[in-house]
Amino acid sequence: MANIQKNIEELRKTIPNNVKLVSVTKYHEVEEIKEVYSAGERVFGESRPQELVKKQAVLPKDIEWHFIGSLQTNKVRSIISFVSLIHSVDSVRLLEVINKEAARCGRVVDVLMEVYVACEETKQGWNGDELVDYMESEQFLSLTNVRVRGVMGMASYVSDTEQIRAEFTELKAVFDRLGAGRADFDILSMGMSGDYQIAIEQGSTMIRVGSAIFA
Ligand SMILES: *Cc1c(COP(=O)(O)O)cnc(C)c1O
């Protein structure tokens, strides 16, 4: 049995007050997630729409649910009425579908743009320059039911901490470029169990931690 309460207490000692913790509950059962809730956490992240819908239905209603995984456009409708933040917007089409579905239920939904910085084969997310251009376009500015709160990214899964640091530094630079002159652009979601300390040193404001909680 994992000592969830103790893991969370240890984790909190290493996180500054200005950094928000998202407890990543993917692959974990409702009973385990309740322990995270009992330890006082209220912001949970899931990476599959069906899992998110199922867990949201049975867990306490004061939980803030974040979607952190790859999101297919045909799954947006299932989560749009209750999701608090979508971290993983990786295309124009996805953002437009989120906007349309949010409008349908009378919401303005907070999202992050996923920026690609890692040196890995599975390139998911925006290139920094493309994103800067897109966010100045009419096409983007006409979307009234999404609010882009910042960016999210993942470093390469490597042991070289200097490479990880360099990738987070790049992500922070994209965040700063986009944030200049934009209101409510205040979330830099970077850092997971293995690299969140480096991410915080490089300016992260939100970390997504799973295995360190459930270990
Ligand atoms: C699973 C996942 C995490 C959490 O990873 P851990 O290494 O378990 O902390 C963070 N972000 C995303 C996008 C994930 O899919």
Side-chain angles (χ1 to χ4, degrees), residues 24 26-27 47 68-69 114 152 154 191-194 208-212:
V24 176
K26 68 179 185 202
Y27 314 141
S47 61
I68 63 170
E114 181 168 357
M152 180 273 245
M154 277 178 273
M192 314 178 11
S193 294
R208 310 174 309 272
V209 177
S211 41

Side-chain angles (χ1 to χ4, degrees), residues 49 67-77 79-80 86-102 109 111-114 124-126 134 139 143 146:
F67 189 83
I68 63 170
S70 151
L71 183 57
Q72 289 176 284
T73 51
N74 64 354
K75 298 285 162 42
V76 171
R77 188 170 291 182
I79 64 169
I80 200 74
I86 299 173
H87 287 231
S88 41
V89 176
D90 59 359
S91 71
V92 170
R93 168 142 168 77
L94 178 59
L95 188 66
E96 290 182 348
V97 171
I98 294 170
N99 184 69
K100 191 180 89 196
E101 294 296 334
V109 171
V111 302
L112 304 178
M113 298 299 227
E114 181 168 357
Q124 189 169 323
W126 298 81
Y134 172 63
Q139 193 184 1
L143 304 176
V146 284

